[in-house]
Amino acid sequence: MTQSRRILEYAEKQCGTVLIKYPDSAVLRHGGNRGKWYALIGRIAKSRLGLQGDGEVTSINVKSNPDMVSVLRRGKNFLPAYHMNKQHWVGIVLDYGAETDKILTLLDWSYDLMEK
């Protein structure tokens, strides 16, 4: 099972999490009609992320506090979040070594931050 599938299954089990699925991406949001979204997962061209090579990778964007974002971006597979505020969001390339448990913790934090 891919890392993205594990993350989506985890998110679906979270209380009130709604997945809005598209062909190559999914938006994870709080329940209800106006639930704020707290993560975006999808396929993105490597070139758009500043990565070398052709093709696409799967990545997830999660919200975090700015201090944590700057620390995370020093790690392998952590990048400026594509198409998001780079100060408050971090992108994580999936299936290339980022620990799933760490990603799930960051997903929980993003969920909590977007509750406010």
Side-chain angles (χ1 to χ4, degrees):
M1 179 184 311
T2 64
Q3 202 170 34
S4 60
R5 174 59 35 214
R6 283 181 283 184
I7 291 167
L8 291 174
E9 286 181 5
Y10 175 86
E12 286 180 309
K13 292 177 185 177
Q14 291 298 310
C15 179
T17 297
V18 174
L19 291 179
I20 303 170
K21 296 180 183 180
Y22 300 97
D24 289 328
S25 62
V27 175
L28 288 70
R29 68 179 197 146
H30 290 271
N33 289 339
R34 296 184 179 201
K36 292 181 181 180
W37 60 281
Y38 63 94
L40 174 65
I41 189 168
R43 302 282 301 160
I44 300 174
K46 288 181 179 181
S47 61
R48 291 194 171 189
L49 295 174
L51 301 173
Q52 295 184 356
D54 295 327
E56 297 178 325
V57 293
T58 302
S59 73
I60 185 169
N61 290 341
V62 294
K63 188 167 186 173
S64 190
N65 69 54
D67 292 334
M68 182 59 75
V69 168
S70 66
V71 169
L72 289 169
R73 285 184 36 195
R74 294 181 199 150
K76 184 179 178 189
N77 301 314
F78 290 84
L79 306 167
Y82 175 71
H83 203 63
M84 301 296 294
N85 178 307
K86 309 298 188 247
Q87 183 179 1
H88 296 278
W89 291 81
V90 64
I92 308 162
V93 179
L94 303 180
D95 297 323
Y96 286 90
E99 295 177 26
T100 302
D101 288 342
K102 184 174 187 174
I103 295 169
L104 296 179
T105 297
L106 294 170
L107 187 69
D108 288 340
W109 291 352
S110 183
Y111 181 91
D112 291 343
L113 281 170
M114 293 308 293
E115 255 184 339
K116 299 175 181 178

